Amino acid sequence: SSHVGPRRGPGGREARATGWPRMAHDVQRRAAFDIGSGATKLYIADVRPVAGTIAEVLFAEEMPVGFSLAWKRSPDGCLDDAIQTQGLQVLHRFVAECEKHKVQGRCAVATEVFRKAKNGENFLARVRDELGLQIRLISQDEEARIGFLTAAAFRGDASLADIVCWDSGGASFQITTPGPAEALLSYMGPLGTGVAAAL
């Protein structure tokens, strides 16, 4: 349930001195940014880091930003100014959502198109400088692993052996399932939905 106004302790004094949400000691409020080739996503959730599970999703939004299409159509293999501006506007709004929800930690990853575009890493550096958001450029192997762990977190009641994760992005796709000795088996395709649409 929600509470409007400060919580009061004995004698009417405010019981919470800070603006952080009050929650169980093993739960943290975190935000995850996925800056993908065809869309930018933000999830804000109360999570149990030790258990690797999600207690409650508080905010989830996906905004289409056609980085992959812009790169595919570019004559010089770069992300043009228009798509960079659009991407920054979406991220600026998402950063504001983090502040609104008083998140305690943020992480951000960027995927395939930023590995391929000549100025992909320059754009990520611009985001860091303008918005203070540190973004990690991950490999396709890491995309597969993160996609699988996300599916597992949402299906907390399922055995890992029963989970198959299909992650189709704008510039690549991965199908991942558990293998022997706690390893992950992944098929990694070179074409995502955005690239296929542009061909």
Side-chain angles (χ1 to χ4, degrees), residues 28-103:
Q28 296 180 13
R29 182 159 297 174
R30 293 186 177 179
F33 293 77
D34 177 357
I35 306 167
S37 301
T40 296
K41 311 176 190 102
L42 172 64
Y43 284 89
I44 299 174
D46 290 342
V47 302
R48 301 182 183 93
V50 175
T53 59
I54 297 170
E56 181 182 5
V57 175
L58 304 172
F59 178 90
E61 187 169 348
E62 175 177 338
M63 291 292 295
V65 184
F67 288 112
S68 180
L69 289 175
W71 166 73
K72 191 70 179 178
R73 294 167 177 169
S74 169
D76 59 0
C78 290
L79 300 171
D80 59 40
D81 290 343
I83 199 65
Q84 290 189 54
T85 297
Q86 182 185 355
L88 279 165
Q89 289 173 343
V90 169
L91 287 169
H92 190 280
R93 186 164 68 81
F94 281 176
V95 167
E97 285 292 339
C98 291
E99 295 170 354
K100 174 182 174 182
H101 285 84
K102 298 181 171 61
V103 301

Side-chain angles (χ1 to χ4, degrees), residues 45-168:
D46 290 342
V47 302
R48 301 182 183 93
V50 175
T53 59
I54 297 170
E56 181 182 5
V57 175
L58 304 172
F59 178 90
E61 187 169 348
E62 175 177 338
M63 291 292 295
V65 184
F67 288 112
S68 180
L69 289 175
W71 166 73
K72 191 70 179 178
R73 294 167 177 169
S74 169
D76 59 0
C78 290
L79 300 171
D80 59 40
D81 290 343
I83 199 65
Q84 290 189 54
T85 297
Q86 182 185 355
L88 279 165
Q89 289 173 343
V90 169
L91 287 169
H92 190 280
R93 186 164 68 81
F94 281 176
V95 167
E97 285 292 339
C98 291
E99 295 170 354
K100 174 182 174 182
H101 285 84
K102 298 181 171 61
V103 301
Q104 295 164 290
R106 304 184 305 190
C107 66
V109 297
T111 56
E112 181 80 1
V113 72
F114 302 100
R115 298 192 296 265
K116 292 181 175 178
K118 291 180 180 178
N119 60 344
E121 294 192 44
N122 290 339
F123 172 74
L124 301 182
R126 181 181 173 188
V127 173
R128 180 197 63 217
D129 293 342
E130 294 189 19
L131 300 180
L133 184 64
Q134 296 286 346
I135 303 171
R136 184 175 166 215
L137 181 57
I138 61 174
S139 67
Q140 193 171 7
D141 282 327
E142 290 175 299
E143 286 189 58
R145 179 175 178 273
I146 291 172
F148 179 82
L149 292 176
T150 302
F154 275 103
R155 289 296 307 276
D157 59 335
S159 168
L160 293 183
D162 296 331
I163 296 176
V164 177
C165 176
W166 173 292
D167 181 1
S168 182

